[in-house]
Amino acid sequence: MGENTSSKPSFKKYILGFWILFISGVLGIAFIFLLASWGALGTMPTFEELENPETNLATEVISIDGETLGKYFKENRTPINYEDLPDHLINALVSTEDERFYSHSGIDARGTLRAAIYLGSKGGASTITQQLSKLLFTDPNKSGTFNRITQKVKEWVIAVRLEEQYAKNEIITMYLNKMDFLYNAIGIRSASRIYFGKEPIDLSIEESATLVAMLKNPSLYNPVKDQFKDNSLRRRNQVLKQMEKNGFLTTKIKDSLQELPLLTYFSPEEHDDGMATYFRAYVQDFMRSWVDDNPKPDGTSYSMYRDGLKIYTTLDFKMQGYAETAVEKHLKNLQKEFDSQNKQNKTAPFRSISSSEIESILNRGIKNSDRYKTMRRKGINEDSIMATFNRKREMRLFSWEGPIDTIMTPKDSIRYYKSFLNTGMMSMTPQTGEIKAWVGGVNYKFFKYEHVKQAKRQVGSTFKPFVYATAIDQLHLSPCDEYPNTPFTIPKGRHGVTEDWTPDNSGGDYGGMKTLKQALAESINTITARVINKTGPESVINLIDKLGIDVSRIDPVAAIALGTADISVYDMVSAYSTFANKGVYVKPYAIQRIEDKNGTILYQHQPESRDVLSEESAFVTIKLLEGVTRFGSGKRLRLNSDYAKGTEVYKRAVTGYPYALENDIAGKTGTTQNQSDGWFIGMVPNLATGVWVGGEDRSVRFPTITYGQGATLALPIWGMYMTDIYNDDTLDISKAEFERPENLSILIDCDEASDELENGEGENKETTEFEIDF
């Protein structure tokens, strides 16, 4: 029989068909990739976009000593350079996410083949570069099989392009800067600060491993949520094992690290959290105005939430910390006393007002609330809105012991918040205008109203130095000039007086002759009235206008001498600073410069200054103010110091006051009517600091002068703040005397004042009470 040859052509046909199918498949896949590169499967990044991938970068607020105070962001991302990443973080990343990172060109062929054969059961195939391409240029939210396939194809194409465009270390840096670690921790720098309270370069090996463990699934391997901590620990230890496998750790070190507990130092970076929150809100307002007035070269606007600007401020990180600590320590104690004295007060926290006035205050609070304004914008009628304020709901309230979760009506919460004493505090350098510390309230998250620049309150006796400075500058008066401490009347029709005006001294103390130095130290109202009668209120207002105080609502009447005007802490501190700066006013400022993300300077502060007083007049005013802290209402700053030992005030004082300041201090306390406001403004040669303490409403106050005076409300914050500053050798805050001008012609050395200092006499009645152990 002959050989059957009919099967041979059939076999060849199958072989040929296989190769045609195989080659068609390869060409088809290649064509798909080619289509993707052309953008047929969706928009692909251009060369320029690969060169400058678009990211949302947080704007950073930086202190004068280089610390990050806070950020403004849509995404809390602050880029970091490769050089600032620790080696063990990079080793952990490569070992866990992409072992062949340094040998492939964007796609790991071995990993892809393994993933295809085992259907992903032995690990995925995405390289670090592919993950970066996904983060930068593809949309992971598209659903459907076809979309997922096209997304993966686009990732591969973009990954290859990224490898061509960037070095390996740049790819790693971009990837770590882009990753989202939850809690507004976008990028490795934010993650390091939020989870461990440190910069990336300071991370330990196990901390780096914990962050790398989160890359697989930040939620599932969350190290701060209790239900996921075990997952995080296991994943961290797996990362350490991978580092051992790849030769970056010895077995001994790996084993020891795996035994360590999972520890974090969780500190979220929300807009309302962290250091200098009120100051950052002020800077934010400054930036809004600056952005409006300063467009980019292409005409578009800068964004402080996306453009990664650097705002270099004048604030000193350490001094800000000392200021916030002093405020918290003092007000926490003071609030306890305030609450105790309100237990028997039926209208608490208000005093001496009617129920209708209280209702009016609460209704104003309702209409000023965010809740009310939001509902009004939605078109909800007034009755419905007010009804919601009387329905109980869950809420979190502020307390000095920590937040309180409770059920309360919003209206009752408004009354609750009215019961807290609040504060405004600012420090500045008189010679430069640099603002060094800014505390606008007790807690920005719960009390948004700001008390340094926004709020204006009656200043009480802290206004008197302006009256005396006017008289010294115009009339050449001396601190040693004497006046009778007797009732004094400015008649109707003179200096804006509508009826005969006879001010009372605090405590009804009269008699004898007093020098101007004694009169200011003891806040003697009658002598201050005599002085403004000589100068006229118009001259005083003219002076304070030059000192930077807003005088638009200050009427030229004699009563301003006793501090009836409402003035901000910001204005008062800058005005007082002129005395310490030899009569030259320097406008306070907070922003040194603004840079873009590339370090280009976009804004540079230009100082503003003007001559206001002669150097002699400024110095004489300083000497008057020194008397306040030597033998007047500010004398308690000297407790436990050589200035105070042996005096009556020292003997009466309780133990525990932390100050023993012996250097020259010029300062003034202030107390307003009914103890609604307490002030202290104090200066040393290169630092001026003002403190106000009071309730949000003037009817929220202590019932007596014992606790309601500036020497008790505000001065302790200044004293604790300056004590901490002087205990810090890294801060250059002067303890020297104020510089005496040459050819001083005004007599400033008053023997009487010196005698009274030594004998513990001349003390204001307001300063004889010491009942709080601060």
Side-chain angles (χ1 to χ4, degrees), residues 741-755:
E742 296 181 3
N743 302 318
L744 183 66
S745 62
I746 298 176
L747 179 65
I748 62 170
D749 297 319
C750 311
D751 292 338
E752 293 85 357
S754 300
D755 290 343

Side-chain angles (χ1 to χ4, degrees), residues 434-447:
E434 294 175 343
I435 296 172
K436 294 297 185 181
W438 179 306
V439 183
V442 295
N443 188 299
Y444 185 72
K445 183 172 289 188
F446 295 96
F447 301 90

Side-chain angles (χ1 to χ4, degrees), residues 140 159 244 249 294 434 492 498 524 614 643 651 678 682 722:
E244 177 205 24
L249 292 178
N294 295 273
E434 294 175 343
K492 175 181 177 180
T498 57
I524 297 176
S614 69
Y643 281 124
K651 294 173 184 176
M722 291 301 294

Side-chain angles (χ1 to χ4, degrees), residues 110-169:
R110 286 172 57 186
T112 301
L113 183 62
R114 181 195 66 223
I117 293 173
Y118 293 101
L119 301 178
S121 63
K122 292 194 176 182
S126 287
T127 63
I128 290 174
T129 318
Q130 285 176 255
Q131 293 178 51
L132 176 61
S133 70
K134 183 177 182 179
L135 290 171
L136 289 176
F137 299 112
T138 60
D139 184 359
N141 297 317
K142 288 186 176 181
S143 59
T145 302
F146 176 77
N147 283 327
R148 286 196 294 270
I149 292 173
T150 56
Q151 289 275 29
K152 182 59 67 175
V153 171
K154 288 167 67 176
E155 285 176 27
W156 286 347
V157 174
I158 296 170
V160 172
R161 289 184 176 181
L162 287 172
E163 290 276 352
E164 293 173 350
Q165 193 75 19
Y166 294 100
K168 292 288 187 179
N169 61 340

Side-chain angles (χ1 to χ4, degrees), residues 263-297:
L263 298 176
T264 59
Y265 182 74
F266 187 56
S267 50
E269 291 183 347
E270 301 289 345
H271 292 291
D272 291 354
D273 293 322
M275 178 80 77
T277 46
Y278 290 93
F279 176 77
R280 282 155 38 203
Y282 165 74
V283 172
Q284 191 173 31
D285 286 340
F286 174 94
M287 288 298 298
R288 288 194 184 103
S289 298
W290 181 86
V291 165
D292 289 342
D293 297 336
N294 295 273
K296 295 179 181 178

Side-chain angles (χ1 to χ4, degrees), residues 521 627-638 669 680 711 715 767:
V628 175
T629 67
R630 288 182 180 271
F631 59 94
S633 57
K635 187 174 181 177
R636 61 182 67 186
L637 290 170
R638 310 297 190 181
T669 57
F680 183 75
L715 179 144
T767 67

Side-chain angles (χ1 to χ4, degrees), residues 74-266:
K74 297 297 184 186
E75 293 182 351
N76 184 16
R77 179 187 295 108
T78 303
I80 194 169
N81 297 322
Y82 183 83
E83 294 75 21
D84 297 317
L85 298 171
D87 290 341
H88 53 71
L89 175 64
I90 297 167
N91 295 338
L93 171 65
V94 173
S95 298
T96 307
E97 295 294 319
D98 192 353
E99 291 177 313
R100 286 174 289 280
F101 174 72
Y102 292 105
S103 61
H104 65 64
S105 298
I107 300 174
D108 182 3
R110 286 172 57 186
T112 301
L113 183 62
R114 181 195 66 223
I117 293 173
Y118 293 101
L119 301 178
S121 63
K122 292 194 176 182
S126 287
T127 63
I128 290 174
T129 318
Q130 285 176 255
Q131 293 178 51
L132 176 61
S133 70
K134 183 177 182 179
L135 290 171
L136 289 176
F137 299 112
T138 60
D139 184 359
N141 297 317
K142 288 186 176 181
S143 59
T145 302
F146 176 77
N147 283 327
R148 286 196 294 270
I149 292 173
T150 56
Q151 289 275 29
K152 182 59 67 175
V153 171
K154 288 167 67 176
E155 285 176 27
W156 286 347
V157 174
I158 296 170
V160 172
R161 289 184 176 181
L162 287 172
E163 290 276 352
E164 293 173 350
Q165 193 75 19
Y166 294 100
K168 292 288 187 179
N169 61 340
E170 293 176 309
I171 289 171
I172 281 180
T173 306
M174 290 170 65
Y175 175 69
L176 289 174
N177 279 334
K178 184 69 177 175
M179 277 301 302
D180 185 347
F181 292 85
L182 305 181
Y183 304 109
N184 283 321
I186 312 294
I188 192 65
R189 182 165 185 253
S190 293
S192 178
R193 288 170 56 85
I194 287 173
Y195 286 100
F196 297 107
K198 59 179 66 173
E199 295 295 324
I201 197 67
D202 299 319
L203 290 169
S204 64
I205 297 174
E206 68 275 13
E207 290 169 344
S208 289
T210 300
L211 293 177
V212 169
M214 295 181 71
L215 297 175
K216 185 174 183 179
N217 186 325
S219 297
L220 185 61
Y221 301 107
N222 185 333
V224 297
K225 278 280 185 85
D226 289 340
Q227 62 266 44
F228 299 122
K229 283 185 177 181
D230 288 343
N231 292 348
S232 179
L233 180 61
R234 285 193 295 269
R235 181 66 180 167
R236 182 204 72 176
N237 288 345
Q238 180 62 36
V239 172
L240 295 171
K241 184 177 180 180
Q242 286 295 113
M243 294 178 73
E244 177 205 24
K245 174 186 170 184
N246 286 272
F248 296 119
L249 292 178
T250 65
T251 301
K252 182 178 180 180
I253 291 176
K254 182 264 296 183
D255 290 342
S256 64
L257 291 175
Q258 286 182 333
E259 292 297 318
L260 294 175
L262 183 69
L263 298 176
T264 59
Y265 182 74
F266 187 56

